[in-house]
Amino acid sequence: MQLFLDTASVNEIRTMWEVGILDGVTTNPTLVAKEGRRFEELLREICALGVPSVSAEVVATDTEGMLSEGRRLREIHPAIYVKVPMTPAGLRATRTLAKEGTRVNMTLVFSANQALLAAKVGAAYVSPFIGRLDDQGQDGMNLVRDIVTIYRNYRFPTRVLVASVRHPVHVLDAAKAGADIATMPFAVMEKLAQHPLTDLGLARFLKDWEKVPKG
Ligand code: G3P
């Protein structure tokens, strides 16, 4: 399974890229706004790090506007995936962009039928937002399982990108469900490597090492 960072922070991306566990980055308008920087300049800097997949979202709500933004975004760097919202206008834009060879990440997906449509119009990624479903009292991971089943039934090549990840159990469950990708905040990715028994074990080993005769 691929692990993506859900951030627009160049420092966060650089840190995980240097650790060597990062497969991609997803941004959205909220994350970009937090950085207080011009969108295209920020995208160029992220892509220059060498990350192979960087999702950048359109903000137009009509098909023509989405197409024009999407075409402009894809020209920024070969790593760019154009993020398009799951609306009728978004489906039309995705179909055209996909035919032109642009890789589209269909976002704001909250039902399996929406995911079915995303696959039918040729999206490269589908992004179910599981944390936001959990917030509503629905089990977001059930949606991921349904999408994985449907895509396998019909051999759709669209990859399932689990978004709105809030904690390490979401990542674990996404992996068990057979999702292709999980995108997560920096703090969640950090936690994937951590375990108190690892820290305790290391402290004990180092303490015992002091007793080994040196020289
Ligand atoms: O990038 C989209 C998604 O991951 C947003 O997550 O935590 O705002 O629901 P969240």
Side-chain angles (χ1 to χ4, degrees), residues 7-15 17-18 22 25 27 35-52 54 76-77 79-80:
T7 184
S9 159
V10 174
N11 283 341
E12 290 183 355
I13 297 163
R14 186 183 291 112
T15 300
W17 183 243
E18 286 173 0
L22 191 63
V25 169
T27 67
E35 299 305 307
R37 294 183 51 190
R38 298 174 79 85
F39 187 30
E40 290 196 16
E41 174 195 288
L42 187 58
L43 286 175
R44 285 182 203 286
E45 203 173 325
I46 294 169
C47 292
L49 294 173
V51 183
V54 178
I76 291 176
H77 194 277
I80 295 283

Side-chain angles (χ1 to χ4, degrees), residues 115-123 147-160 180:
L116 176 60
L117 299 184
K120 285 187 72 69
V121 294
I147 298 172
V148 169
T149 301
I150 291 166
Y151 284 8
R152 281 190 187 151
N153 284 349
Y154 298 99
R155 296 188 175 81
F156 283 122
T158 305
R159 290 196 278 167
V160 182
D180 300 285

Side-chain angles (χ1 to χ4, degrees), residues 80-99:
I80 295 283
Y81 283 64
V82 176
K83 224 169 159 187
V84 173
M86 170 50 70
T87 60
L91 286 166
R92 280 193 289 270
T94 298
R95 185 175 171 78
T96 301
L97 288 169
K99 277 188 179 166

Side-chain angles (χ1 to χ4, degrees), residues 6 28 83 129 132 163-164 166:
D6 197 25
N28 63 36
K83 224 169 159 187
F129 276 32
R132 293 191 193 181
S164 187
R166 303 278 169 77

Side-chain angles (χ1 to χ4, degrees), residues 135-185:
D135 292 344
Q136 296 297 314
Q138 286 178 256
D139 184 349
M141 205 52 67
N142 276 341
L143 172 59
V144 174
R145 289 185 201 100
D146 284 349
I147 298 172
V148 169
T149 301
I150 291 166
Y151 284 8
R152 281 190 187 151
N153 284 349
Y154 298 99
R155 296 188 175 81
F156 283 122
T158 305
R159 290 196 278 167
V160 182
L161 191 165
V162 178
S164 187
V165 162
R166 303 278 169 77
H167 49 70
V169 177
H170 275 152
V171 181
L172 180 63
D173 287 342
K176 284 156 72 178
D180 300 285
I181 305 159
T183 189
M184 65 206 79

